[in-house]
Structure formats: C-alpha cells, structure tokens
Amino acid sequence: MLITRDPDWTDADWPGPRCLVLPSEAPDARPPGSDWRRFTLVDGPGGALSVIRDVAARLARFRQLAPTPLLHAPERIAEPELAALRDRAGTEPFAADLALTPGGHAGRILLGAEIVANPLFVAFFANLRRPESLDPEAVFDQLRFHLVPQEDAADEEARP
C-alpha cells in the first residue's frame, strides 16, 4: 500500500492499494488514476502516524487492506530510490523504517508486508491517541516489539 499526499505522483509503482490523502480544502484534486483511492480527511491530514491510522482503519473496515508492504511518502520519491524501497520491502517482510522530518516528526515510513498482515496492525495504530504528541521513535520501538517477531526485531535494530 502506498500512502501519499502528492496528487501529481501518477506513476508510482508500488504493490497493493495506492492512496491519495488530501484535506477537505482540496475538493478539485483528483486521484491520479482509477486504481488510486482518495481519502479526504475533514480535520485535515495530521502527521504520518495519524494518516496511516486513518487510512488503515478505513481500508480494513471495507476489507480492502491488502497484506502488502506499506510506504507512507508525503511526496514523490524518485524511481531509483522507490525501486530500492520496493526491493527492501520484498526481501524483508518485517522491515520497519522511520525517517524523521527536520522537525523531528514521522515522515517517510516503510513497513513490510508481514507487519501489515499482522492481525494487530490496525489495532496498534487505532490505539495511538493524538499520535502527533508522541515520540515517533518510541512508537516505532513499540511497533517492533508488538508486531515484529523478536529475532527479526534484533536484526532490524542492528541495521545502520
């Protein structure tokens, strides 16, 4: 699943649903194609963690949450970097990467397919109340603890 806020990113090659998240003030923006899902968040899209929470809950509610890798990318990623992320997600089903913004908030997020397929995935994000007030690195520590088998979590923490 790809989640982005960039309506101009029409050629994103990523497995699973592709989701465009926009604030309600953007009524004219259309999803890039018929295979995209548009999410209009009335309160405006919050940070990355709340966007994942809201999109995953809505997809799960309608049985459209696919057990594919999840990439939250607020804006377009160049194809070589996207290909590297796609390859990593394909070879590491328990990947859990967090890139922080310059302000210290959650930015780009990569989650492997086994994390998304975990029955606790939606509940984990649903239980994040006011995620923007939480330390994103602490949230990811908890995510790894609850959703990644511990031998894979140790390998994940050893990555540079």
Side-chain angles (χ1 to χ4, degrees), residues 47-49 52 72-74 97-101 104-110 136:
L49 297 172
I52 291 172
H72 173 273
D97 292 347
L98 166 67
L100 298 176
T101 66
H105 301 285
R108 187 173 67 210
I109 294 174
L110 173 67

Side-chain angles (χ1 to χ4, degrees), residues 75-93:
E75 50 202 31
R76 173 188 294 272
I77 297 174
E79 182 52 37
E81 186 178 357
L82 184 63
L85 290 167
R86 196 172 43 244
D87 290 345
R88 176 145 192 266
T91 59
E92 297 181 37

Side-chain angles (χ1 to χ4, degrees), residues 73-149:
E75 50 202 31
R76 173 188 294 272
I77 297 174
E79 182 52 37
E81 186 178 357
L82 184 63
L85 290 167
R86 196 172 43 244
D87 290 345
R88 176 145 192 266
T91 59
E92 297 181 37
F94 289 101
D97 292 347
L98 166 67
L100 298 176
T101 66
H105 301 285
R108 187 173 67 210
I109 294 174
L110 173 67
L111 298 174
E114 289 294 327
I115 292 175
V116 177
N118 188 309
L120 299 176
F121 173 75
V122 174
F124 178 86
F125 281 94
N127 285 314
L128 295 178
R129 302 288 183 238
R130 295 182 23 228
E132 284 69 38
S133 66
L134 302 174
D135 174 9
E137 291 176 324
V139 170
F140 259 67
D141 287 344
Q142 288 297 307
L143 181 141
R144 289 181 188 106
F145 179 79
H146 291 290
L147 303 181
V148 177

Side-chain angles (χ1 to χ4, degrees), residues 16-93:
R18 294 186 287 173
C19 307
L20 176 62
V21 177
L22 297 169
S24 59
E25 303 86 55
D28 296 334
R30 299 273 181 240
S34 61
D35 58 336
W36 284 75
R37 292 166 177 86
R38 177 190 165 142
F39 292 86
T40 303
L41 301 180
V42 177
D43 294 334
L49 297 172
S50 63
V51 166
I52 291 172
R53 178 194 63 202
D54 295 344
V55 169
R58 207 175 301 173
L59 288 175
R61 185 175 307 124
F62 294 104
R63 299 183 188 267
Q64 297 176 348
L65 184 62
T68 60
L70 182 150
L71 175 63
H72 173 273
E75 50 202 31
R76 173 188 294 272
I77 297 174
E79 182 52 37
E81 186 178 357
L82 184 63
L85 290 167
R86 196 172 43 244
D87 290 345
R88 176 145 192 266
T91 59
E92 297 181 37

